[in-house]
Amino acid sequence: MPSFAEVKAGLAMPLSDAMETQRSIRRLRSDPVDDETVRACLELAIKAPTGGNLQNWEFVVVRDPDVKHQLARLNRQAWSVMRRIYRTQVRNDEKGLRGLAAGQWLADHFEETPVVVVACLRGPRAWFPPVVVTSYYGSIFPAVQNLLLAARALGLGAALTTLPVWSSWMARRTLGLPWNVSPIAAVPLGWPQGRYGPTIRRPVDEVTHLDRYGKPFGG
Ligand SMILES: Cc1cc2nc3c(=O)[nH]c(=O)nc-3n(C[C@H](O)[C@H](O)[C@H](O)COP(=O)(O)O)c2cc1C
């Protein structure tokens, strides 16, 4: 199990390399991850912006087997529904099927994850109008992405997940969160069984428009 001192040089990795190779790593080894390493990820996570600079994030670092077991149960409940939907979507797509297998692996091994970081938001949950809702959720995902990039640079495996907190009520009870703190995402962290590698995404020109929707951005 590498210590923080052994992996911290990874944080000097070029940003574009980290971004190009950060992908969901769900197959994790059960070897422990020290607090210093988790703290380094969180220090970088909270460099992210929040709406109105409220910094209304809260993080729960879960190591307790009972708490992990409860989150694993929630993940399995949601996964048993979502995997059926994903299966119809991916059909014969090889990459999609690999993702499905990785999701199943996480569902089967969630309890073995050494650390799960649950990212939460403090304050009343936003329902309406849309700009309030987007600002609310938009105040946690930049921090989660920073955390994922920090994990990647340190060589830690990580994935952004929401299924383990599909029921705010049950996740709040599991984590002992006060009523005004909502769990939004969970990031299982651990040393990866596999490797990071380049992500495959749709081309920029396919998803970008110039001035108005439909006018090509590229050339
Ligand atoms: C909002 C959001 C929620 C997600 N929830 C889950 C989840 O609950 N479980 C999971 O295994 N992956 C989850 N993912 C990860 C995506 O499935 C993954 O990022 C996507 O398939 C692309 O794969 P890659 O990250 O390996 O490139 C989520 C991603 C996002 C952005």
Side-chain angles (χ1 to χ4, degrees):
M1 164 199 90
S3 67
F4 179 60
E6 287 168 296
V7 294
K8 70 177 179 191
L11 291 174
M13 150 183 262
L15 181 61
S16 59
D17 286 0
M19 286 175 158
E20 280 172 14
T21 58
Q22 193 287 314
R23 62 183 181 84
S24 304
I25 305 273
R26 301 182 182 87
R27 290 184 175 87
L28 302 172
R29 287 163 29 202
S30 55
D31 308 288
V33 178
D34 63 22
D35 278 346
E36 243 187 315
T37 306
V38 177
R39 176 176 290 278
C41 293
L42 289 167
E43 295 279 6
L44 292 171
I46 61 166
K47 300 299 177 202
T50 47
N53 197 21
L54 288 178
Q55 301 185 35
N56 51 336
W57 41 46
E58 305 265 359
F59 301 90
V60 183
V61 176
V62 177
R63 292 189 184 279
D64 183 296
D66 291 338
V67 179
K68 266 191 273 181
H69 176 62
Q70 291 305 323
L71 292 176
R73 279 190 57 204
L74 286 172
N75 185 58
R76 276 193 286 274
Q77 285 167 2
W79 175 248
S80 70
V81 176
M82 294 310 292
R83 75 170 172 215
R84 292 191 186 102
I85 298 169
Y86 290 147
R87 196 172 288 141
T88 59
Q89 284 173 351
V90 298
R91 289 176 191 274
N92 299 322
D93 161 32
E94 202 187 307
K95 185 177 182 292
L97 288 169
R98 276 207 304 274
L100 199 66
Q104 187 60 51
W105 197 95
L106 181 63
D108 293 340
H109 297 266
F110 197 97
E111 278 96 340
E112 295 155 36
T113 307
V115 190
V116 182
V117 176
V118 182
C120 310
L121 281 170
R122 191 169 8 90
R125 198 148 192 161
W127 301 104
F128 188 82
V131 67
V132 174
V133 179
T134 51
S135 300
Y136 176 78
Y137 290 104
S139 290
I140 197 67
F141 287 110
V144 173
Q145 180 66 15
N146 272 8
L147 192 149
L148 295 175
L149 287 170
R152 192 274 163 266
L154 291 167
L156 271 179
L160 192 177
T161 74
T162 46
L163 298 184
V165 293
W166 74 267
S167 163
S168 297
W169 186 79
M170 285 194 273
R172 195 180 277 122
R173 206 173 61 159
T174 296
L175 297 163
L177 299 174
W179 66 270
N180 63 340
V181 175
S182 300
I184 310 293
V187 180
L189 279 177
W191 304 108
Q193 291 195 5
R195 283 179 297 128
Y196 277 104
T199 50
I200 299 163
R201 297 291 189 253
R202 291 166 64 193
V204 167
D205 287 338
E206 201 179 298
V207 296
T208 312
H209 312 265
L210 180 64
D211 297 325
R212 285 192 172 75
Y213 193 90
K215 189 174 169 192
F217 172 66

